[in-house]
Amino acid sequence: MYDKKQQIIEVGMKLFAERGFHSTSIQEIADHCGISKGAFYLHFKSKKDFTVAIYRYYYDTVKNRLDEVGARTDLSPWQKFELEIEVFFEEFMRKKEFIIMHFQEHFSIHKELEVLVFKMRIEAHAWYEKNLLEIYGDEVKPFIVDGIILIEGLVDSYMKVILFDGVDLDLKEFSKFLARRADDVIRGMLNKQEKPQLNKAMFKPLYQINDRNELREKVNTILVDMKERLPNLVLEKTKFEDLDKTLDFLLKEVKKEEPEKIIFQGMLSNFHGVSELEDSRQQIADLLEIKLIS
């Protein structure tokens, strides 16, 4: 991301948190950045698009750091879990302005932002599921959804205490404490052979999409996100041009009443090996219920 664009986003996050989304004008954001209003619109088409950029910036920052921990081979699954909690809360503390805006503002969310938030929630659940399976094995599968909901509740509660009550915690020690409490939750269910209360079938908006238009909208938004991120990746010119054309083609295909799944399956293979877009590629495959090929 360009330094100026990042600066505008961070200033906007801070002003939204201090004054509120509706009370902060584009002109005020531009003034605080030392740029003209016209220069702001060189980076963002509208205030709503700017809001989407803020969410994407926060999401990408957290995800990139978590991916770095997840890729380490010198840590056990449990050590990764502890460190990922620590990293998550570190970024939470650095981006408190964003969290304040998220909790305090109730502005109307347009479709692109709604789908991005949906994507963030899916990936959060996938992250929890991956960690729980790596630590506890197949035994935890019946309790995956209950475990995720309970652990998310712990995390969200501590986030609010830190945010709104100004509590200052030692993040390294706190992360270990929270990981142990998550362990208490999971082992309690396993040891007592509790009957699971939740399963994925109960969460159709999260795990299943039955409406055809909604499905196309979600795939379209992921493709748009991939196209916007593509110029920031380190790629050879020919590779960049090939992927850019692929995305343009898929964006046309997804607008059809019945997008051809086999076309998506074939063309998504062009992105194999582009690690920064692998999650997006997998999300489209999951939504369309197709198997990725190399």
Side-chain angles (χ1 to χ4, degrees), residues 125-230:
H125 275 236
W127 176 79
Y128 279 116
E129 182 169 354
K130 174 179 176 290
N131 277 286
L132 293 178
L133 288 171
E134 286 182 353
I135 293 170
Y136 303 100
D138 290 345
E139 185 183 10
V140 79
K141 281 185 177 180
F143 302 99
I144 280 291
V145 181
D146 284 296
I148 290 172
I149 297 299
L150 289 167
I151 295 170
E152 276 190 329
L154 287 171
V155 171
D156 289 348
S157 295
Y158 276 101
M159 284 173 64
K160 290 175 182 176
V161 167
I162 293 170
L163 191 65
F164 297 117
D165 297 317
V167 175
D168 187 20
L169 296 173
D170 180 326
L171 292 184
K172 188 174 290 294
E173 182 57 37
F174 167 67
S175 299
K176 292 179 179 179
F177 171 85
L178 195 56
R180 290 194 297 269
R181 299 296 71 76
D183 185 60
D184 291 339
V185 166
I186 300 300
R187 292 197 185 280
M189 290 190 292
L190 294 177
N191 293 338
K192 294 182 179 179
Q193 289 297 301
E194 297 274 9
K195 179 183 177 182
Q197 298 299 300
L198 303 174
N199 59 63
K200 291 183 178 182
M202 297 177 178
F203 289 80
K204 289 183 179 180
L206 183 60
Y207 293 104
Q208 301 173 22
I209 300 175
N210 296 322
D211 182 79
R212 184 184 303 167
N213 291 330
E214 182 184 1
L215 174 64
R216 295 207 316 268
E217 285 177 358
K218 292 186 186 301
V219 173
N220 182 78
T221 299
I222 296 172
L223 290 170
V224 170
D225 179 65
M226 292 172 73
K227 189 169 177 64
E228 290 181 354
R229 294 167 64 187
L230 192 62

Side-chain angles (χ1 to χ4, degrees), residues 3-259:
D3 290 341
K4 178 55 69 174
K5 189 173 182 179
Q6 181 175 328
Q7 180 200 5
I8 297 170
I9 286 175
E10 291 180 346
V11 168
M13 290 168 68
K14 187 174 181 63
L15 290 176
F16 285 165
E18 292 175 351
R19 306 181 184 188
F21 174 80
H22 296 292
S23 300
T24 303
S25 68
I26 297 301
Q27 186 64 62
E28 287 176 305
I29 295 171
D31 290 344
H32 277 74
C33 293
I35 61 173
S36 67
K37 190 173 181 179
F40 174 94
Y41 286 112
L42 291 175
H43 297 285
F44 310 99
K45 291 183 291 186
S46 66
K47 194 174 182 181
K48 282 189 174 182
D49 286 336
F50 179 56
T51 307
V52 174
I54 289 177
Y55 273 77
R56 185 177 289 118
Y57 171 64
Y58 176 77
Y59 163 76
D60 284 344
T61 301
V62 175
K63 184 178 182 302
N64 289 340
R65 290 207 61 198
L66 291 176
D67 285 347
E68 288 174 3
V69 176
R72 289 181 59 173
T73 58
D74 60 320
L75 300 175
S76 68
W78 179 258
Q79 289 171 323
K80 286 183 183 180
F81 186 49
E82 284 186 341
L83 185 54
E84 285 169 344
I85 291 174
E86 182 179 344
V87 162
F88 173 82
F89 274 93
E90 282 178 357
E91 290 303 323
F92 164 73
M93 294 300 291
R94 291 192 180 107
K95 301 293 187 297
K96 282 198 295 186
E97 288 85 3
F98 168 83
I99 306 297
I100 291 171
M101 182 187 79
H102 182 78
F103 277 118
Q104 291 183 344
E105 291 292 342
H106 301 285
F107 49 85
S108 177
I109 297 180
H110 59 105
K111 268 297 179 185
E112 187 177 353
L113 182 53
E114 181 182 337
V115 175
L116 180 58
V117 172
F118 178 86
K119 174 185 175 183
M120 292 165 67
R121 191 176 176 207
I122 287 178
E123 293 205 353
H125 275 236
W127 176 79
Y128 279 116
E129 182 169 354
K130 174 179 176 290
N131 277 286
L132 293 178
L133 288 171
E134 286 182 353
I135 293 170
Y136 303 100
D138 290 345
E139 185 183 10
V140 79
K141 281 185 177 180
F143 302 99
I144 280 291
V145 181
D146 284 296
I148 290 172
I149 297 299
L150 289 167
I151 295 170
E152 276 190 329
L154 287 171
V155 171
D156 289 348
S157 295
Y158 276 101
M159 284 173 64
K160 290 175 182 176
V161 167
I162 293 170
L163 191 65
F164 297 117
D165 297 317
V167 175
D168 187 20
L169 296 173
D170 180 326
L171 292 184
K172 188 174 290 294
E173 182 57 37
F174 167 67
S175 299
K176 292 179 179 179
F177 171 85
L178 195 56
R180 290 194 297 269
R181 299 296 71 76
D183 185 60
D184 291 339
V185 166
I186 300 300
R187 292 197 185 280
M189 290 190 292
L190 294 177
N191 293 338
K192 294 182 179 179
Q193 289 297 301
E194 297 274 9
K195 179 183 177 182
Q197 298 299 300
L198 303 174
N199 59 63
K200 291 183 178 182
M202 297 177 178
F203 289 80
K204 289 183 179 180
L206 183 60
Y207 293 104
Q208 301 173 22
I209 300 175
N210 296 322
D211 182 79
R212 184 184 303 167
N213 291 330
E214 182 184 1
L215 174 64
R216 295 207 316 268
E217 285 177 358
K218 292 186 186 301
V219 173
N220 182 78
T221 299
I222 296 172
L223 290 170
V224 170
D225 179 65
M226 292 172 73
K227 189 169 177 64
E228 290 181 354
R229 294 167 64 187
L230 192 62
N232 297 322
L233 306 183
V234 179
L235 298 169
E236 293 181 1
K237 183 180 179 181
T238 54
K239 181 69 171 177
F240 169 80
E241 290 174 349
D242 286 346
L243 296 183
D244 194 47
K245 290 178 182 177
T246 298
L247 288 170
D248 286 339
F249 185 89
L250 292 178
L251 282 165
K252 291 179 181 177
E253 182 65 26
V254 79
K255 288 180 171 58
K256 295 179 180 178
E257 186 67 23
E258 289 285 352

